[in-house]
Amino acid sequence: MFQGKKVKYLLYFSAIVAIGSGGFYIIGGDEWSIIDSIYMTIITLSTVGFGEVHPLTDSAKILSILIIIFGVTGIGVLIRTFKEEFIQIDLFRKNKMMKTISKLKNHFVICGYGRMGAVIAQELHNKHLDFVVIEMDDHKAEHIVSKGWYCVHGDATSEETLISARIENATGVAVVLANDQDNLFVTLSMKTSNPNLFILSRCSIDDNQSKMIRAGANKVVNPYTAGGHRIAEILSKPQVEDSISVLSPIHSSMNLTLDEISLDNMSKYEGVLLKDSKFREEYDVMVVGIINQNGDSIINPSPDTVLHTTDTILLMGDTSNMARFKENLPS
C-alpha cells in the first residue's frame, strides 16, 4: 500500500515539474532556456524565496500561483502521509516486540534505565541473558530499543506495565527507579504478583533497607554505601584489586564474594604450595583462579600449584569469611 502511494506521489510531482517547466519555457519565449524553466519551477515548488530567473509576465505569475497551489498542497499531503506511515511502522515494531516479550520465560526485568539500570542492562546483554527494561522516559525508551533490547515503555508503578513485562514468568528483577518510594511500591507489587520472584531493590537511604526487605525484596543495595565501602577497602587494602558479589536468585541466603587479590608484599606465600597456604583451613575460602605476572590464568588450580608474590589470586567465599581474610592483609 505504501509503495503504491509513493509511485502516485512521484508521478504527481513529476507531472507538476514537467507542466510547470514547459509552461515557463513557452510563456517566457526566447529569454527562457529549459534549465531556467526547470529551475524556476523547482524554486517555486520549494518556496525557498529566491528571486525570479527573469522578470515574470502576468501569464507567468498565474502559472507560478497554480504551481504553488497544487505543488505546495501536494507536499503537505505527502508529509502527512509519510508521517502516518512512519507512525504505523513504529506501532507495528512495538506490537511485534510486545508479542515477543509476551512469550519470554525465565527472563530478567529491570525497572528504570538510569545510570545503574543502564549498567545492569549492559551486563545482562554481555552475558547473553534475556531481559526487559521498563522505562517511562520517551528518549530513554527509544535508546533502549535502538540497541535492540526489549523495552516496555511505561510506568513501573503501574500494574498493567508490570504485566506487560511478564513478571509472572520472570526469574529476577532489579528495581532501580529514581527514588526509594517508587522502589518500595514496585517491590511490594511484584512480590504480590509473583511470590517466588527474586527481587533486588535499590535504596538511597539506609533506613529504608528494612522496609524494602519487609515489602519482599530478597536483596537491597545502596549503591552509595556499597561504592563507598569498596573504595575504602581498596584504599586501605591495595591488594584487593576487584570485588564481585555473587547472588543466587533461588538461594537468597547464599552471599558469596569473589575477590581479585594481589599477593604483592605477602612474602609468606612466596614459593608455597596452594595446599599449604591454609586459605581453606584458616578462613574457609578457596582459590578458584590464579593470574601470573605474564597475564596467564589458571582456573581451578591444583593443590600442588606454587604461589608467588607476583601472582594475583581469585579468592571466593562467604562474605563474612572474606572480610576476616582481608582484615589480615597488610595495609
Side-chain angles (χ1 to χ4, degrees), residues 5 48 65 106 121 136 205 215:
K5 286 184 178 180
V48 295
I65 292 171
N106 301 321
M136 187 166 57
I205 302 173

Side-chain angles (χ1 to χ4, degrees), residues 31 43 64 71 74 92 125 136 164 230 232 234 279 281 303 317:
E31 290 186 344
I43 65 173
S64 298
F92 172 78
H125 172 72
M136 187 166 57
S164 298
R230 184 175 178 184
I234 294 174
F279 288 123
E281 292 81 0

